[in-house]
Amino acid sequence: LMHPRNLLLALAAGAIAEALLHELAGVRIVAWVESVGDIAAQVDEREVTRETVDRMRALSATLAAERFTLVYQPICELATLRPHHFEALIRLDAAAGGLSTFEAITFAEDVGLILDLDLAVCRRVLAEIKARNGTGHRYVIAANLSAQSLANPRFVAELMRLVASAPEQRKQ
């Protein structure tokens, strides 16, 4: 069964969320939650919707302002134990709605912000490669992208435009 929060996440995107806040005033639903005894819980839709909208706004603002850090995990060749490339891993600012990195990524996938997250990471990776190339080293950095992003034509077009704007870094 779908968690009530995820059900509302699916409904609460953009302007729809604002309309829901007004339309659902005082309405309560009964939804099933997974817990020790699979008990039924009553959820105040208005509160959950408001919380969802607040989290969406916080995460969206965090991504727009690029208030996140990338850390680079070396991926080593087994034969030589030397780094083959680095994997960029996102670490979000505490202002991202109070979510852990894992929670923020799954939340972004649930509410349609994953495209923005993946593009922000790609922009940062390309900037990092460009900055580090001036040091005499050529780094190869991999970024994990959501399957949702890769299946989205708008994301693919934007990623292609982004990569085309950085011809020297394409192969990295």
Side-chain angles (χ1 to χ4, degrees):
L1 295 173
M2 182 180 281
H3 188 281
R5 183 169 298 163
N6 290 340
L7 173 65
L8 292 175
L9 293 177
L11 297 173
I16 295 170
E18 290 297 328
L20 283 173
L21 288 174
H22 299 291
E23 294 293 323
L24 299 175
V27 175
R28 297 177 70 82
I29 62 166
V30 175
W32 291 96
V33 294
E34 289 185 21
S35 66
V36 174
D38 268 352
I39 61 171
Q42 290 195 353
V43 177
D44 182 343
E45 271 188 34
R46 185 174 181 197
E47 180 181 329
V48 172
T49 302
R50 185 176 309 281
E51 178 183 308
T52 299
V53 170
D54 290 346
R55 283 184 171 179
M56 288 173 66
R57 286 182 179 141
L59 182 56
S60 185
T62 296
L63 296 174
E66 295 193 10
R67 289 190 313 259
F68 61 86
T69 304
L70 293 180
V71 294
Y72 299 94
Q73 172 71 42
I75 306 300
C76 298
E77 293 181 27
L78 292 176
T80 64
L81 299 180
R82 298 183 75 175
H84 177 267
H85 67 279
F86 296 87
E87 181 179 359
L89 305 171
I90 191 169
R91 298 295 180 260
L92 291 164
D93 184 283
L99 302 172
S100 72
T101 298
F102 173 78
E103 291 170 327
I105 291 170
T106 56
F107 179 76
E109 288 177 330
D110 288 344
V111 298
L113 290 174
I114 195 64
L115 306 178
D116 298 327
L117 186 147
D118 283 347
L119 283 171
V121 168
C122 290
R123 279 192 295 275
R124 180 75 64 85
V125 165
L126 282 171
E128 188 70 26
I129 289 172
K130 186 175 182 178
R132 294 196 181 256
N133 279 354
T135 65
H137 299 284
R138 295 194 56 83
Y139 292 94
V140 177
I141 301 175
N144 288 324
L145 302 175
S146 169
Q148 286 183 26
S149 294
L150 294 172
N152 183 294
R154 181 180 70 86
F155 173 83
V156 173
E158 182 63 22
L159 180 61
M160 297 304 288
R161 186 198 64 71
L162 185 63
V163 171
S165 72
E168 301 228 356
Q169 289 78 37
R170 267 187 227 179
K171 293 180 181 177
Q172 293 175 266

